[in-house]
Amino acid sequence: MGIRLVMLAAAALTTAAGFTASAYSLTQGQTDQAIAFAWPSLAISIAIALIVPKRRQRMEAGVK
């Protein structure tokens, strides 16, 4: 379970950093830059969430 927690924490941190940069760009009136920061952070978080092994997959592989 440790690796799952680390990967999900990394996804959350990446998403939070991207949205923070996006929000700061919006406060400065830079809409294009805000969009440029928001979409990749969402894509990275979804990709990491898909990579995280599920309990069933780990059980079938014999990992406890």
Side-chain angles (χ1 to χ4, degrees), residues 20-41:
T20 301
S22 179
Y24 179 74
S25 295
L26 278 176
T27 61
Q28 301 299 315
Q30 301 169 342
T31 308
D32 293 340
Q33 190 174 5
I35 293 169
F37 280 122
W39 285 111
S41 67

Side-chain angles (χ1 to χ4, degrees), residues 8-57:
L8 290 175
L13 184 63
T14 305
T15 305
F19 280 136
T20 301
S22 179
Y24 179 74
S25 295
L26 278 176
T27 61
Q28 301 299 315
Q30 301 169 342
T31 308
D32 293 340
Q33 190 174 5
I35 293 169
F37 280 122
W39 285 111
S41 67
L42 281 175
I44 290 170
S45 65
I46 290 171
I48 291 174
L50 289 174
I51 292 171
V52 173
K54 300 204 183 331
R55 170 174 264 151
R56 185 177 202 180
Q57 291 172 340

Side-chain angles (χ1 to χ4, degrees), residues 53-64:
K54 300 204 183 331
R55 170 174 264 151
R56 185 177 202 180
Q57 291 172 340
R58 294 176 66 213
M59 291 252 200
E60 290 174 358
V63 179
K64 293 183 179 183

